[in-house]
Amino acid sequence: MGDVASGGKVLTREEAPFDPDALRDRYRAERDKRIRADGNEQYLQIAGRFADFGDDPYIEAPIQRAPLTDEVEVAVIGGGFGGLLAGARLREAGVKSLRMIEAAGDFGGTWYWNRYPGAACDIESLVYLPLLEETGFIPAMRYTKAPEIFEHSRRIARHFNLYEDACFQTSVKDLSWDEAAQRWIITTNQGDAMRARFVVMSNGPLNKPKLPGIPGIETFKGHAFHTSRWDYEYTGGSVLGGLDRIGDKRIGIIGTGATAVQCVPHLAEGAGQLYVFQRTPSAVNVRNDQPIDADWVRSLPPGWQNHRMDNFNLLLSGGYAEEDLVNDGWTEAFRELVFIARKEGAAGLSPEKLAELMELADFATMERIRARAEAVVNDPATAEALKPWYRQFCKRPCFHDEYLQAFNRPTVKLVDTQGKGVERITENAVVVDGVAYEIDCLIFSTGFEVGTSFSRRYGYDIHGRGGQPLSQAWANGVRSLHGLMVRGFPNLFFLGSTQGGFTANYPHNLREQAAHATYVIDQVKARQGRAAEPSEAAEADWVATIIEKARNNQAYLEACTPGYYNNEGKPYLANAQNTNYGGGPIEYFRILADWRASGDLPGLEVS
Ligand code: NDP
């Protein structure tokens, strides 16, 4: 029998203070309660009558500039961390003719948009914020708040001279390959028709807010907005809190994901009355934020950030390392079991044994999280409703020291929908189980589109060789080499997780891919190539690998409560090839590194 670690001590399986079979049954029952036939179709698009939910509330004035029809060597679409990392690496590689194109009013990507009160990153700042050594920046706290992240994005842009020639408030409307000129033509909402030899796209995975398709949503007459477009005019305060205009308001918030966990404490503090409408509770572990000792960071040897990122990634992938450098809630499950077990001599575990140990560690962690809800929340029924019944990585794990506590305020009510979701919205209320909760303002903390088509999420299609639209090339599933390059779409790079790597520390994958794209661009230039794209065979091989590896995660995701991690409870049924590389990020990064090390661009046709 396996061992279970608890509080850093390795226990025998029999001593485990829970019944794994009973927990597995409970998880399955909770999942079954939530499965809906309409799956991902339950959500509404921010378009048509809901279009203004997507407006940018942060720009001071619309830009005025003449349309651009010039040519650059590389255009980067997206000014978040992916675009910034690509821009940085390209500058380092000597690319002078570079244009950053961004729909928002500045760099920052998700951190430009998400300025809701309490917004912060729950991955340790020293591994999350890219290019710390290069820019010389040392974050103040272990878990950096949104304004610091936004400012760091701007710092990277300044450091690598990316503001020069940048186009903000510029949404791409079409990207077409001009065969005769061997250039991309980028058409935008500003009337541009720019040309570029290479294009790097980093459009972001969670860029388009979505709304719940709750009956009556269109009839609501009160104030309403999505968390990624926070209306401080209405609430007062700022991203740091202090919402001082809602003391006489009844606020409703739908959703209890990672965003809600961060903003609910501030709403609770400011609102006259707050209703939190819950379908599935988040797992909310201890945050325990701490200041960072800048002298200690300065004393670390060069290369410390890559080393720390790799160590974090290794432990999160179930690997073994001598030390756990980050040592927080993310590495906890692994640290307490796999890490300790292996360190204590259980190296060479079979995959089955490892999976069993991981599940036990997961149960132990979730038991502690459930116990925490009970210990913190005074009302027993509310505490019970806040307990999550699923495996730790079925949903984004959350860490907060004020979320559960907020439910102890007399002005805050958790309205638990028993996994069914909100029943109806009327012109002045949210209805659950026949009870109408009257509100003045409704906040949608309902997340972002995942799994919808590229053109729906980003508002444009890409036309490759012969004018073929990407939507057509991918009609039966994504096709690529390494998730990065697509046959028929030369000199174009897609940064992201689809057929690429996935790690909870999202910028880590972007770092690897940005370096890879820069390498390919450099090589194509060095070979005086005009167009580079994957061969048919290389692309087919990669697609086959993705499908094969997707099976690794199938059982785990299938047993999970529905959410965007598992295509709302239907993992991969839509298309196994539209997933990320199932062998894990370490393997994926190694594949890219080996490919570069081979030096001869295997599987790439350079004409
Ligand atoms: P999520 O998609 O995680 O959450 C959406 C919420 O809306 C869920 O609680 C969902 O319930 C609920 N919901 C949807 N439809 C209904 C309905 N009809 N009735 C009631 N509730 C409904 O979005 P978030 O914005 O919270 O988070 C998105 C992602 O952003 C995270 O997963 C994370 O990757 C990232 N993030 C990261 C942070 C960080 O610290 N780095 C902080 C915040 C966000 P259900 O769960 O039942 O579907």
Side-chain angles (χ1 to χ4, degrees), residues 269-291:
E269 200 185 326
Q273 172 70 45
L274 177 67
Y275 297 108
V276 180
F277 298 98
Q278 170 181 278
R279 188 165 65 182
T280 310
S282 276
V284 188
N285 212 337
V286 178
R287 166 75 306 157
N288 191 21
D289 200 2
Q290 304 282 330

Side-chain angles (χ1 to χ4, degrees), residues 242-287:
L243 309 183
D244 56 8
R245 292 189 191 160
I246 51 173
D248 59 348
K249 297 280 191 281
R250 298 161 301 175
I251 310 280
I253 180 166
I254 297 183
T256 51
T259 297
V261 166
Q262 293 184 332
C263 66
V264 157
H266 295 284
L267 286 168
E269 200 185 326
Q273 172 70 45
L274 177 67
Y275 297 108
V276 180
F277 298 98
Q278 170 181 278
R279 188 165 65 182
T280 310
S282 276
V284 188
N285 212 337
V286 178
R287 166 75 306 157

